[in-house]
Amino acid sequence: MPKNKNVEFHSFEIELATLSKCLSHPARVMIISILSKHKDRTCKELVSEIPLSQSTVSKHLDDLIKVKLICRKISGTQSLYSLEWNHIERVFTLFNRLNTKIMPNRPKRNCC
């Protein structure tokens, strides 16, 4: 008998899964790392530090903007990207909450 596919997940699981999916690509992790060291960067500056094409980096930037981990501000003819520090902190808060939920159940030894 198939399981009920109309399972409702809590906002915690949905938010953590959404952020985890966004962070699942090394280029997006690298972008966050670069932006953590600089107040802001243009796409061109990021492309010079990431071994990907400009269009690919732009797509990754859009993905990070959608989940509000970075923001874009217009300065003249350029877009400047910077971290949304409160949202970055939220990622760590969610992972810490997950840790608090699951680690008390950790057995004394690994599975095998």
Side-chain angles (χ1 to χ4, degrees):
M1 177 175 231
K3 291 185 177 187
N4 182 356
K5 292 194 178 195
N6 293 323
V7 174
E8 291 199 23
F9 294 100
H10 295 88
S11 61
F12 164 75
E13 286 91 4
I14 294 168
E15 186 178 9
L16 185 58
T18 301
L19 290 168
S20 296
K21 183 177 180 181
C22 186
L23 293 171
S24 68
H25 196 286
R28 293 190 285 267
V29 173
M30 192 172 190
I31 289 168
I32 288 173
S33 179
I34 292 166
L35 292 177
S36 74
K37 297 172 189 147
H38 306 281
K39 185 177 188 306
D40 49 35
R41 280 284 185 254
T42 64
C43 184
K44 183 178 180 178
E45 290 169 326
L46 290 166
V47 168
S48 72
E49 297 185 54
I50 299 171
L52 298 171
S53 70
Q54 184 274 327
S55 61
T56 302
V57 171
S58 289
K59 172 67 173 102
H60 288 303
L61 290 167
D62 287 341
D63 291 342
L64 289 164
I65 288 169
K66 284 179 189 169
V67 296
K68 300 179 182 172
L69 292 178
I70 67 170
C71 64
R72 173 181 28 227
K73 61 184 174 186
I74 306 300
S75 177
T77 59
Q78 295 183 344
S79 292
L80 297 174
Y81 298 91
S82 59
L83 288 182
E84 285 281 8
W85 285 101
N86 290 338
H87 288 98
I88 296 294
E89 185 176 22
R90 177 75 178 147
V91 172
F92 290 103
T93 300
L94 290 168
F95 275 105
N96 283 333
R97 185 172 167 198
L98 179 64
N99 180 48
T100 302
K101 281 182 156 190
I102 65 172
M103 289 312 285
N105 303 322
R106 186 181 191 274
K108 298 291 184 211
R109 65 179 194 90
N110 287 329
C111 68
C112 301

